[in-house]
Amino acid sequence: MGLFDRFKKKVQPKKQEDKSKQKVDAELDDGLISIEEFEEWEQEQIGYKFKQGLEKSREKFQNEINALMAKYRTVDEDFFEALEEVLISADVGFNTVMELTDELRKEAQLKNITDTKDLKETIVEKMIEIYERNDSLSEEVNIQSDSLTVVLVVGVNGVGKTTSIGKLAHKYKQEGKQVMLAAGDTFRAGAINQLQVWGDRVGVDVIRQSEGSDPAAVMYDAVNAAKKRGTDVLICDTAGRLQNKGNLMNELSKIKKVIQKVVPEAPHEALLVLDATTGQNALTQAKAFKEVTDVTGIVLTKLDGTAKGGIVLAIKNELGIPVKFVGLGEQMDDLQEFSAENYVYGLFADMIDDSVDEALEDEDNA
């Protein structure tokens, strides 16, 4: 059973039961809900965040697909060329789009699909298949359960790097972890103070030196302080001077060596922060950073502010880097751990709901 069909199976009973959110909230307030029901409710809330956060991408994609189906009633080469344009405009990525449409051509021929409307769910299924192909790329964050976790954060200026670090610190503190920040972006005016503001807001210590200091020296102080204080998670800010790859590579290499003197297996994560609203430029940045450091995951900010949510597919399929966090709003808790299932639901929720409604209507008419 494909993921699209699994979603329909999951959504259909809920529509049949017509269990409102207000009723669940009332049960929560009265303390009458079981742990299992609470966990299910909590997952639904996260799914709702993804649905809200991907509203612009979902509306654009669905409107364009529906317009495409209305214009092209027959599955032919003109239809596939128009579909390619729609997918490329959603920043799914050129190579991914070519791969997807080639597979759709084969699928249509194999199943003798001639009406474009009969291909709608297949388009979604194939997009999901392409995303899920490289299962070895884990979306889980490598947090150590019984020792210090060191997270390096990289990214060019202006993508939301400092804000993402602050939100990550908030997330892990809310989970009961002791968190510390390291102000390693010592060359950008105001970067140290910005990180300190976030440290004060979240209530975590920030290890810092004066502007212009050696970033590796800051990291050495930070990792030693984290070890001595029994810190669970150390999140390290770094400079984003991508225009000079040689200097950046040398700096990151030096930082890693200094950290590994204290914690040999660190850094446990090297997260690259990208701005989803920049579309293909984000993909270009990811390629460039991949050349200078071992990026283990992506933090994709401002996903709620773009209609080009397909960039997630392009990043994983074309670069082989998993998205680990996504920004779905301005609130402190709107930086969410990435979930392929929630992402797919957020991107195609309207299509899934429409299919379920059609199925229920067919049942009623039978």
Side-chain angles (χ1 to χ4, degrees):
M1 182 187 292
L3 186 54
F4 194 91
D5 288 329
R6 293 206 302 274
F7 269 120
K8 288 199 292 183
K9 194 173 181 181
K10 185 177 179 181
V11 171
Q12 188 162 339
K14 289 178 182 174
K15 288 209 167 195
Q16 288 170 323
E17 291 167 9
D18 194 29
K19 189 177 185 181
S20 68
K21 181 179 179 296
Q22 287 79 11
K23 183 180 176 183
V24 177
D25 287 340
E27 287 175 343
L28 282 168
D29 292 338
D30 294 340
L32 301 175
I33 195 167
S34 69
I35 293 173
E36 291 78 10
E37 286 174 318
F38 175 78
E39 288 176 348
E40 183 182 348
W41 175 85
E42 194 173 38
Q43 284 304 309
E44 284 178 9
Q45 300 315 296
I46 294 171
Y48 180 69
K49 274 184 177 288
F50 272 80
K51 185 177 179 180
Q52 273 193 314
L54 286 160
E55 184 178 2
K56 288 184 180 179
S57 292
R58 183 173 64 257
E59 284 186 355
K60 182 176 185 290
F61 185 77
Q62 177 156 307
N63 288 341
E64 291 188 350
I65 288 291
N66 287 339
L68 196 67
M69 300 297 180
K71 184 177 180 181
Y72 298 92
R73 300 301 178 95
T74 305
V75 177
D76 56 19
E77 195 53 35
D78 288 340
F79 166 75
F80 283 118
E81 286 180 7
L83 177 62
E84 286 171 2
E85 290 179 16
V86 168
L87 295 171
I88 288 171
S89 73
D91 271 345
V92 173
F94 181 79
N95 294 334
T96 306
V97 170
M98 294 302 106
E99 184 180 342
L100 173 62
T101 50
D102 282 347
E103 292 193 13
L104 285 170
R105 286 182 180 93
K106 293 174 186 174
E107 192 80 5
Q109 190 174 13
L110 183 68
K111 295 182 178 178
N112 197 27
I113 299 173
T114 57
D115 191 326
T116 55
K117 286 185 179 179
D118 294 336
L119 204 61
K120 186 186 283 189
E121 290 187 14
T122 307
I123 293 170
V124 178
E125 284 287 2
K126 286 297 176 184
M127 288 177 74
I128 297 164
E129 280 179 25
I130 287 173
Y131 184 84
E132 292 185 328
R133 266 175 200 166
N134 198 340
D135 289 335
S136 62
L137 297 174
S138 175
E139 291 151 4
E140 291 187 10
V141 184
N142 184 21
I143 297 294
Q144 307 301 295
S145 57
D146 54 359
S147 60
L148 174 64
T149 299
V150 180
V151 179
L152 276 188
V153 183
V154 301
V156 299
N157 300 335
V159 296
K161 182 158 59 82
T162 309
T163 300
S164 295
I165 290 170
K167 289 182 177 181
L168 281 174
H170 171 73
K171 167 186 163 53
Y172 291 124
K173 189 178 180 190
Q174 290 296 107
E175 291 176 2
K177 295 179 172 61
Q178 187 171 336
V179 183
M180 182 182 289
L181 306 180
D185 189 354
T186 59
F187 293 99
R188 183 167 63 88
I192 297 170
N193 290 335
Q194 285 174 15
L195 196 68
Q196 185 66 61
V197 167
W198 271 104
D200 294 342
R201 186 181 298 172
V202 176
V204 300
D205 290 337
V206 179
I207 303 301
R208 54 183 289 180
Q209 292 186 15
S210 59
E211 192 173 316
S213 300
D214 182 359
V218 178
M219 297 306 174
Y220 185 75
D221 286 350
V223 76
N224 274 293
K227 286 281 283 186
K228 287 177 184 175
R229 299 180 198 179
T231 301
D232 298 307
V233 182
L234 172 65
I235 307 173
C236 306
D237 191 12
T238 65
R241 300 186 308 281
L242 190 56
Q243 64 272 22
N244 193 325
K245 289 185 187 179
N247 282 359
L248 183 59
M249 184 185 295
N250 292 336
E251 183 178 304
L252 292 173
S253 177
K254 188 177 177 183
I255 286 172
K256 284 183 181 180
K257 286 177 183 176
V258 163
I259 290 172
Q260 287 171 350
K261 286 180 180 178
V262 184
V263 184
E265 67 277 14
H268 302 92
E269 290 281 0
L271 300 177
L272 170 61
V273 182
L274 298 173
D275 181 344
T277 64
T278 62
Q280 286 299 301
N281 189 40
L283 201 62
T284 302
Q285 286 176 26
K287 288 175 182 175
F289 268 100
K290 195 178 179 184
E291 291 173 10
V292 300
T293 192
D294 297 322
V295 177
T296 59
I298 301 292
V299 179
L300 195 61
T301 65
K302 309 173 192 175
L303 194 59
D304 59 309
T306 181
K308 298 187 175 184
I311 192 69
V312 174
L313 290 156
I315 288 168
K316 185 173 181 185
N317 190 50
E318 299 188 20
L319 296 180
I321 306 173
V323 175
K324 298 205 172 185
F325 291 96
V326 288
L328 299 172
E330 299 297 325
Q331 300 303 313
M332 193 86 85
D333 62 350
D334 283 337
L335 187 69
Q336 291 286 326
E337 287 189 18
F338 182 76
S339 155
E341 187 167 302
N342 284 327
Y343 166 74
V344 168
Y345 180 67
L347 203 54
F348 304 115
D350 295 339
M351 284 189 184
I352 293 164
D353 290 341
D354 287 347
S355 293
V356 170
D357 288 339
E358 288 173 11
L360 291 173
E361 192 176 329
D362 289 342
E363 284 180 14
D364 291 339
N365 294 332

